[in-house]
Structures are given as C-alpha cells and as structure tokens.
Amino acid sequence: MIRTIYSLLAALCLTGVSCTDKVEYFYSTTQHITRVEAKVVVVAPEKPDPEQPAPTPTPQPTAGEGEATPEDSPAVVQIKEELLAKSPAKAGDSYTFNFKVYNAGILLLQSGEETLEGRFTKVPGSDEMGFLLNGEYHIAQVSSSEDKDTPGTLYTFDFTEEYQKRYPEEKILEAKRLEYIE
C-alpha cells in the first residue's frame, strides 16, 4: 500500500518535472558509480537429523573450493547475471541529478559515450528514491555503504518479489542489485 502511494506520488512529481520546455535547474550533482553487484540469498538447506542415517552423498558442482552452497545453484547464478545485465548502470558510469523542483528532476546516466535521460524523485524524509530510466520505474533504498573498500552511498534495488515468483523452487529470500556510489 505504501509503495503504491509512493509510486503514485513519484509519478505525479515526475510528470510535473517533464511538462515544461524551458530547462532551468536550481541544483545539479554528479555521482560516480564505483561498483555494481548482485546479491541473491536463498534458504539454506535443512541440516540432516543426526539420528537418521546419512544419505549417500551425490557429487555437486562447486564454484571454487569447498562444498557447494545454495548460492552456487545454476538458477541463482542465472539470477545474478540477469540482475547485472538488466542494469542500465555499470561501474565507471555516473548519475547526474538535475533538480527542477525540490526533490525531483532530470536524471542523466552517463555510460561511456552514451547518455540516457530519465527522471528521479525523492519523498522528503524517506530513504527511498524513484528512478525512471528506459521506461522502467524502480525504487532504490539509499544508505551509506558499510564496505571499507567502497565508502560512500549505496543504492539498493530490490527485485526479490519478481524472482520469488519466477523461481519458487529456489526459496529466494533476497534478490537485489547494489550500486556503490562515490
């Protein structure tokens, strides 16, 4: 319900931002994307009952050393690849936020030689921002990065519900794209 209200409010703000021909910004800021990664968390397999005889182990592929984990499953690897592939932002790109009104404006994503134009909005007092790029609207949770190697801001885009519906057998707890910003 709150997401629906937020989306409607954001759409109204974004419509208002795009209704004028003359472009005047009262504030602009550019943020550089240092890293983009996908995070997929699934339910851990149940631990065997110590009183039951252990089943005969079957070899499982691993992604490096050690035992295979649920995160190594082909579906989880595919989800991570999809999350990264459908992201318009890549490491080395930058966002420019051109504020036309208090908390909304024109969003430019500079990706190499290409510039994508979209819209952004932020409800005052909220830690979420709405991004409209390539005709798709996504909400990002804005927080401080706790990664020592990448201090700055972290945008977290949550796709959990979408991937839970597409892959119910994987028991997905989280499917998120993380963009580290400096």
Side-chain angles (χ1 to χ4, degrees), residues 30-37 84 87 89-95 109-110 143-155 178-182:
T30 299
Q31 298 178 341
H32 301 283
I33 303 163
T34 57
R35 192 169 85 217
V36 178
E37 53 186 48
L84 294 174
S87 172
K90 309 288 183 230
D93 294 351
S94 62
Y95 287 122
L109 173 61
Q110 184 67 43
S143 62
S144 295
S145 171
E146 296 179 8
D147 186 348
K148 290 184 228 175
D149 297 330
T150 317
T153 303
L154 175 63
Y155 294 157
L178 310 172
E179 295 180 7
Y180 294 85
I181 310 294
E182 73 172 8

Side-chain angles (χ1 to χ4, degrees), residues 46-84:
E46 293 182 23
K47 294 186 179 184
D49 185 351
E51 295 179 10
Q52 296 291 328
T56 307
T58 56
Q60 294 187 10
T62 60
E65 296 183 27
E67 293 182 20
T69 65
E71 288 79 14
D72 294 329
S73 78
V76 171
V77 171
Q78 180 179 342
I79 292 167
K80 286 181 179 181
E81 289 172 357
E82 287 178 20
L83 285 169
L84 294 174

Side-chain angles (χ1 to χ4, degrees), residues 10-180:
L12 287 173
C13 288
L14 293 174
T15 303
V17 165
S18 62
C19 289
T20 60
D21 291 331
K22 189 174 180 183
V23 178
E24 289 187 28
Y25 306 121
F26 71 87
Y27 179 72
S28 290
T29 184
T30 299
Q31 298 178 341
H32 301 283
I33 303 163
T34 57
R35 192 169 85 217
V36 178
E37 53 186 48
K39 178 181 179 183
V40 177
V41 177
V42 296
V43 174
E46 293 182 23
K47 294 186 179 184
D49 185 351
E51 295 179 10
Q52 296 291 328
T56 307
T58 56
Q60 294 187 10
T62 60
E65 296 183 27
E67 293 182 20
T69 65
E71 288 79 14
D72 294 329
S73 78
V76 171
V77 171
Q78 180 179 342
I79 292 167
K80 286 181 179 181
E81 289 172 357
E82 287 178 20
L83 285 169
L84 294 174
K86 73 179 185 178
S87 172
K90 309 288 183 230
D93 294 351
S94 62
Y95 287 122
T96 298
F97 298 94
N98 295 312
F99 290 81
K100 288 190 66 136
V101 294
Y102 179 65
N103 273 339
I106 306 297
L107 171 65
L108 301 175
L109 173 61
Q110 184 67 43
S111 182
E113 297 296 316
E114 184 180 6
T115 301
L116 297 175
E117 183 176 321
R119 306 289 183 265
F120 73 92
T121 187
K122 183 178 184 317
V123 176
S126 169
D127 58 356
E128 294 181 337
M129 283 185 70
F131 288 75
L132 178 65
L133 269 172
N134 292 333
E136 293 186 23
Y137 182 75
H138 297 288
I139 296 174
Q141 188 79 28
V142 181
S143 62
S144 295
S145 171
E146 296 179 8
D147 186 348
K148 290 184 228 175
D149 297 330
T150 317
T153 303
L154 175 63
Y155 294 157
T156 303
F157 296 87
D158 193 345
F159 297 93
T160 304
E161 287 181 27
E162 174 185 338
Y163 283 98
Q164 285 173 333
K165 289 176 186 171
R166 288 179 54 194
Y167 298 93
E169 69 283 355
E170 293 299 320
K171 299 178 184 167
I172 296 170
L173 298 173
E174 286 185 8
K176 297 180 178 183
R177 183 177 71 235
L178 310 172
E179 295 180 7
Y180 294 85

